[in-house]
């Protein structure tokens, strides 16, 4: 499910008032356990969209048209709530391979969490499920069996976390539509390594203070202050292993909504 940009300022303001009214900053709720990169775990998978297609258009993480082009293209996946984590699991990468040796190859396909699986087995809170693009689902088959594997519909699979690798890309920040000097919302793109974000802070021009941003939905974060003065530096902390990266003055003083600003750095492409 996607939320329209006009709703984002309302969500951000609501979160700001809720936290301000409590008199304290809420504790971080994300897990501090390190990613088990080499452990294969059981799950189920199906596919959606056209048979050789790229899967969803947009998705609950808010990546929009990015899912239709490389490096996301045909590598997108909707994940169940246990992996979606209320949107904080957006951007995480997984290797997925199926188990039926009569139709499945030994190779695994790498997918990026860009959406939440809305129904089926994934509706069970503790069940792990993937909805893959038709192309990614078919890629798990032995040669000539792409159609056969898609006709099965639902497959038992193994999956594991893997490092995200966006070769030639650095972390970018997309300024969401509707952003103003008093409400600023950012979408994070192309994060190598863990791919997920647990916290995000922003620093205004001429200031030494890092101000905490609020997680709205998917991979979108916001801040309600004002007036905000750029250029802005942005600090990211990963959800899985609490690694931190700071992009200095990455968003210029003359920033505009709907623009994307690319940093000069990225996390290490390992877990």
């Amino acid at each position: 499910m996607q939320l329209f940009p006009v709703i984002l300022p309302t969500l951000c303001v609501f979160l700001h008032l809720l936290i301000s009214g409590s008199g304290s900053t809420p504790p971080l709720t994300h897990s501090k356990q390190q990613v088990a990169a080499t452990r294969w775990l059981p799950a189920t998978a199906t596919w959606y969209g056209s048979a050789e297609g790229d899967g969803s258009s947009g998705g609950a993480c808010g990546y929009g048209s990015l899912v239709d082009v490389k490096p996301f293209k045909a590598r997108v996946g909707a994940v169940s709530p246990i992996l979606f984590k209320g949107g904080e699991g957006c951007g995480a990468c997984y290797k997925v391979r199926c188990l039926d040796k009569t139709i499945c190859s030994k190779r695994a396909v790498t997918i990026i969490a860009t959406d939440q699986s809305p129904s089926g087995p994934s509706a069970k809170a503790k069940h792990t499920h993937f909805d893959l693009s038709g192309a990614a689902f078919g890629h798990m088959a032995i040669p000539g069996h792409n159609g056969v594997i898609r006709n099965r519909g639902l497959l038992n699979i193994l999956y594991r976390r893997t490092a995200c690798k966006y070769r030639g890309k650095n972390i970018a920040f997309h300024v969401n539509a509707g952003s103003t000097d008093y409400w600023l919302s950012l979408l994070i793109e192309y994060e190598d390594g863990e791919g997920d974000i647990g916290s995000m802070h922003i620093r205004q021009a001429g200031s030494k203070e890092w101000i905490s941003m609020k997680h709205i939905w998917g991979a979108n974060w916001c801040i309600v202050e004002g007036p905000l003065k750029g250029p802005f530096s942005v600090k990211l902390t990963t959800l899985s292993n609490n690694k931190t990266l700071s992009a200095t003055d990455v968003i210029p003083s003359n920033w505009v909504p709907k623009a994307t600003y690319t940093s000069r750095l990225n996390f290490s492409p390992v877990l």
Side-chain angles (χ1 to χ4, degrees):
M1 179 185 70
Q2 298 189 62
L3 298 181
F4 295 105
V6 70
I7 302 176
L8 297 182
T10 304
L11 284 174
C12 194
V13 172
F14 173 76
L15 287 172
H16 177 76
L17 293 174
L18 181 65
I19 293 171
S20 300
S22 68
S24 62
T25 301
L28 294 176
T29 57
H30 59 264
S31 170
K32 294 185 179 180
Q33 295 180 351
Q34 292 191 339
V35 175
T38 59
R39 186 182 177 191
W40 289 94
L41 299 171
T44 56
T46 187
W47 62 281
Y48 64 133
S50 59
E52 295 292 343
D54 305 328
S56 69
S57 178
C61 289
Y63 295 122
S65 60
L66 283 180
V67 302
D68 300 321
V69 296
K70 292 182 178 181
F72 285 87
K73 186 177 177 67
R75 298 176 60 202
V76 304
V79 295
S80 53
I82 195 171
L83 298 181
F84 189 71
K85 300 174 184 176
E88 289 186 329
C90 289
C93 296
Y94 297 90
K95 285 189 178 295
V96 177
R97 61 183 177 90
C98 57
L99 298 174
D100 188 339
K101 296 180 180 179
T102 64
I103 57 173
C104 300
S105 69
K106 295 181 179 180
R107 65 186 176 187
V109 60
T110 300
I111 65 101
I112 305 161
T114 62
D115 203 351
Q116 180 173 4
S117 180
S119 60
S122 64
K124 300 177 182 178
K126 295 183 179 181
H127 181 86
T128 306
H129 178 76
F130 294 82
D131 288 340
L132 306 180
S133 69
F137 198 80
H139 189 71
M140 294 188 292
I142 58 177
H145 284 67
N146 300 51
V148 176
I149 200 172
R150 282 191 287 263
N151 287 339
R152 290 285 182 92
L154 183 69
L155 292 175
N156 291 316
I157 64 163
L158 293 176
Y159 78 97
R160 67 174 176 87
R161 280 288 295 274
T162 189
C164 296
K165 299 177 182 179
Y166 298 105
R167 291 179 176 85
K169 298 281 188 179
N170 285 327
I171 291 177
F173 301 91
H174 178 78
V175 180
N176 287 316
S179 291
T180 70
D181 291 339
Y182 291 84
W183 173 83
L184 178 64
S185 176
L186 303 176
L187 170 74
I188 301 90
E189 302 170 354
Y190 307 125
E191 182 200 344
D192 278 348
E194 293 160 48
D196 51 22
I197 298 297
S199 67
M200 184 168 168
H201 294 75
I202 195 168
R203 187 176 65 198
Q204 299 186 69
S207 175
K208 296 182 179 180
E209 178 186 6
W210 287 104
I211 306 172
S212 178
M213 300 189 76
K214 312 298 185 296
H215 179 232
I216 321 175
W217 65 285
N220 296 278
W221 296 71
C222 74
I223 182 171
V224 180
E225 294 285 341
L228 297 165
K229 183 181 179 181
F232 301 113
S233 300
V234 183
K235 180 169 66 176
L236 304 176
T237 302
T238 65
L239 176 69
S240 303
N241 289 339
N242 291 326
K243 296 176 184 176
T244 298
L245 177 149
S246 299
T248 302
D249 295 341
V250 64
I251 300 175
S253 57
N254 60 342
W255 64 269
V256 293
K258 299 183 181 181
T260 299
Y261 301 100
T262 302
S263 71
R264 296 181 180 179
L265 68 173
N266 211 325
F267 287 99
S268 174
V270 296
L271 291 180

